[in-house]
Amino acid sequence: MTQDNSFSNIPSSKKATIVIKKKTGDETLTCHFNPEKYTITRTIGWQQQSIKGQNVPPSEFTGGGPSKMDLNLLFDTSFETTAKDVRTDTKKLWDATRVETDSNDTSNKGQPPHIVFIWGRSWTFEAVITSLSEEFILFNEDGIPIRSNIRIQLTQVKDDTSFGKQNPTSGATPGKVYTVREGDRLDLIAAQYYKKPMLWRYIAEHNDIDNPRQLVPGQQLIIPPLP
C-alpha cells in the first residue's frame, strides 16, 4: 500500500494503532495517520510454459504472494505538556526489526516479532517489517527530536481477504479497540469497560499515554483484558 499524508492540523489527525506481538507480551503505540489515498499491492505467481506452435503459452499457478503496504507514519510529542524525545516511541518499531532473544530457545531460529496495524474500525493488517527508515523533522531547544516521519514497508503474514473486519481485534490483538470521542476521559472509559474509574492508569500504560488529559478525538485505544 502506498499513501499520501496530510497533517495540516496534527492534533486532529486520525490515529493508527500498532501492536507489536512480542513473546514477552504485546506492546502498543499510536501514530498520526491521515492518508488522502492508498493502494494495496499483491503479487500472484504464474509461470509460463514454453510450447512450440502456440501464440500464447499456458500458465501454471505457482502460488499466491503476500500483500504489501508502504506507509508514512508521523510520530509527534510536541503537543504534550512536556515534549519527550520522539525516539522513545519509535524505538519500539526499530526493536521490532530485531530477532527476539529467548534463553529457553536453542533452535537458533529466532525472528523479529509480527506487528498488527490497525486503522479505524475497518481493517487490520498482520505483517512483518521489511523496511524501516526515520526522518527527524522537528527539534526542541536542546536539539532533541520531537517529531519524526517513519517510512515503513509491511509484508503480510496472515491471510485476510477482506481487509475489513468489523471487529478490528478479532484474531489480531487482545482486548477491544475504543475510538476516542469529544469529551472522553480515561477514567470514564475505565468505568465503562471495567466498572472501576481508578483503572484508567491500566489503559494509559497499555497505550503508552504519558498525558491522559490530551486524548484526541478519533484516537484509537486498546482496552486490554484485566489480568
Side-chain angles (χ1 to χ4, degrees):
M1 175 196 296
T2 59
Q3 120 284 323
D4 295 325
N5 282 343
S6 175
F7 296 104
S8 58
N9 190 346
I10 292 174
S12 63
S13 64
K14 300 295 184 181
K15 290 291 189 76
T17 300
I18 301 171
V19 180
I20 303 171
K21 305 180 71 172
K22 303 182 71 172
K23 294 179 180 179
T24 55
D26 291 351
E27 290 186 350
T28 305
L29 67 157
T30 59
C31 61
H32 299 278
F33 184 70
N34 193 23
E36 295 178 355
K37 59 183 178 180
Y38 61 81
T39 303
I40 298 171
T41 61
R42 184 179 188 184
T43 56
I44 300 91
W46 290 91
Q47 183 176 1
Q48 281 71 44
Q49 300 176 358
S50 179
I51 298 180
K52 293 182 179 180
Q54 291 191 12
N55 291 319
V56 180
S59 296
E60 180 181 1
F61 179 63
T62 59
S67 297
K68 293 186 178 183
M69 300 195 300
D70 294 293
L71 306 175
N72 292 331
L73 307 177
L74 187 71
F75 289 84
D76 187 279
T77 65
S78 64
F79 292 93
E80 299 178 7
T81 302
T82 302
K84 65 181 179 182
D85 190 330
V86 72
R87 291 172 294 186
T88 60
D89 290 335
T90 59
K91 180 179 183 297
K92 293 180 180 181
L93 285 179
W94 288 102
D95 289 344
T97 67
R98 299 178 180 275
V99 173
E100 288 191 272
T101 57
D102 187 345
S103 58
N104 297 320
D105 186 0
T106 59
S107 64
N108 294 322
K109 294 183 179 180
Q111 62 182 17
H114 292 185
I115 76 165
V116 180
F117 186 82
I118 304 171
W119 184 38
R121 293 185 177 275
S122 59
W123 54 264
T124 64
F125 189 82
E126 186 166 344
V128 291
I129 299 173
T130 48
S131 179
L132 185 69
S133 65
E134 183 171 14
E135 180 184 22
F136 301 105
I137 53 180
L138 185 66
F139 307 85
N140 66 11
E141 62 273 12
D142 297 320
I144 295 174
I146 55 178
R147 183 182 300 167
S148 72
N149 186 53
I150 288 276
R151 294 181 180 274
I152 187 171
Q153 183 182 79
L154 303 178
T155 299
Q156 181 185 31
V157 293
K158 185 175 181 180
D159 191 17
D160 180 5
T161 57
S162 68
F163 285 97
K165 299 175 182 176
Q166 293 301 311
N167 178 3
T169 63
S170 176
T173 66
K176 300 178 180 180
V177 175
Y178 179 80
T179 301
V180 175
R181 294 171 293 188
E182 191 71 38
D184 272 342
R185 302 198 316 259
L186 283 183
D187 60 333
L188 298 179
I189 298 172
Q192 175 182 342
Y193 284 93
Y194 304 137
K195 309 302 181 184
K196 294 182 179 180
M198 69 286 296
L199 290 178
W200 68 267
R201 293 183 183 275
Y202 185 59
I203 300 175
E205 291 174 358
H206 195 84
N207 290 275
D208 295 322
I209 296 175
D210 294 322
N211 187 351
R213 297 178 181 274
Q214 292 189 342
L215 296 181
V216 179
Q219 179 179 353
Q220 300 284 306
L221 299 178
I222 302 294
I223 311 297
L226 293 175

